[in-house]
Amino acid sequence: MPRAFEMTARQLSIEAMEPDDWPAVRDIYLAGLATGDASFEISAPDWEKWEAKYPRQFRLVARDDRGAVLGWAALTAVSDRRVYAGVMEVSVYVASDARRGGIGEKLLRALVDVSERGGIWTLQSGVFPENTASIRLHLKCGFREVGRRERLGKREGVWRDALLLERRSDVAGMD
Ligand SMILES: CC(C)(COP(=O)(O)OP(=O)(O)OC[C@H]1O[C@@H](n2cnc3c(N)ncnc32)[C@H](O)[C@@H]1OP(=O)(O)O)[C@@H](O)C(=O)NCCC(=O)NCCS
């Protein structure tokens, strides 16, 4: 790992995402989508749509010591039914030149923490089986594999399976 990055990794801070972070968040998102293994999506929405999808309370960025965004993580509701009020879906993306430095783990652990403090009891993630990094990251952070959803949808014309990963809190949703 280059020395410069070791330095920034040590000085990483996890903070709330601000609207000004959107261009960097969008670029990191697009680079993640370009791997072909991150999501069924192939393009980024505009800010208004993104902002409406990910509640302010549940979106985080990782910054280096100069404030540059190296990654982001956010939650979106899975349903508007009352029974699912404490169930949310995870997105986590790290800049391509900053991957494998522990940033994804720091972001996801912080997001779990914020979610539990916000009363969210279940986090879920749909991950392509080919996305070894994401699977490893989620399992490390307390998610379990619920099952494999076969030929769930097409990405660029190709049917893809998805693993459903889930983390049930033992702090939130216990009353
Ligand atoms: C998935 C992603 C967020 C992981 O972030 P990261 O900062 O690289 O992950 P970390 O460095 O915190 O690593 C977490 C764990 O995953 C492992 N890991 C990371 N990248 C890996 C890879 N390419 N292959 C195998 N394991 C990998 C790490 O080794 C670590 O496990 P360990 O401590 O047991 O060794 C990042 O690879 C990414 O942004 N990918 C593109 C977007 C994407 O796929 N997002 C997820 C959508 S479901």
Side-chain angles (χ1 to χ4, degrees):
M1 189 185 296
R3 216 180 146 173
F5 182 64
E6 278 174 32
M7 261 178 59
T8 54
R10 275 206 303 272
Q11 292 161 10
L12 197 77
S13 60
I14 307 293
E15 297 172 10
M17 179 196 166
E18 303 296 339
D20 283 353
D21 295 324
W22 170 239
V25 164
R26 182 176 180 278
D27 285 351
I28 292 167
Y29 182 47
L30 287 173
L33 296 184
T35 65
D37 284 337
S39 168
F40 280 111
E41 301 299 332
I42 52 168
S43 62
D46 59 24
W47 165 247
E48 285 71 27
K49 277 202 181 130
W50 198 89
E51 149 101 325
K53 184 173 173 190
Y54 297 99
R56 187 173 303 248
Q57 184 188 358
F58 300 124
R59 49 191 201 215
L60 300 173
V61 291
R63 294 185 200 283
D64 68 13
D65 54 340
R66 290 164 304 165
V69 175
L70 300 179
W72 62 271
L75 297 178
T76 187
V78 299
S79 167
D80 56 9
R81 288 181 63 194
R82 246 174 90 111
V83 67
Y84 294 124
V87 183
M88 298 190 85
E89 169 107 17
V90 172
S91 290
V92 53
Y93 288 77
V94 172
S96 40
D97 57 357
R99 289 183 199 145
R100 298 208 84 157
I103 296 176
E105 185 178 345
K106 284 201 174 74
L107 276 166
L108 189 52
R109 288 195 188 282
L111 194 65
V112 166
D113 189 46
V114 165
S115 75
E116 289 182 326
R117 282 190 276 119
I120 303 304
W121 56 80
T122 292
L123 297 181
Q124 67 179 50
S125 213
V127 181
F128 291 136
E130 298 81 7
N131 196 344
T132 318
S134 185
I135 295 166
R136 179 74 208 127
L137 169 64
H138 282 82
L139 295 179
K140 259 195 110 176
C141 293
F143 287 67
R144 70 184 174 96
E145 185 181 321
V146 177
R148 183 172 181 131
R149 310 179 76 191
E150 295 182 356
R151 296 181 298 282
L152 183 62
K154 280 185 179 175
R155 187 182 198 280
E156 297 193 307
V158 179
W159 285 104
R160 302 288 297 265
D161 293 357
L163 302 183
L164 177 60
L165 307 180
E166 175 181 282
R167 182 185 190 281
R168 177 52 166 100
S169 174
D170 54 12
V171 180
M174 297 303 284
D175 49 327

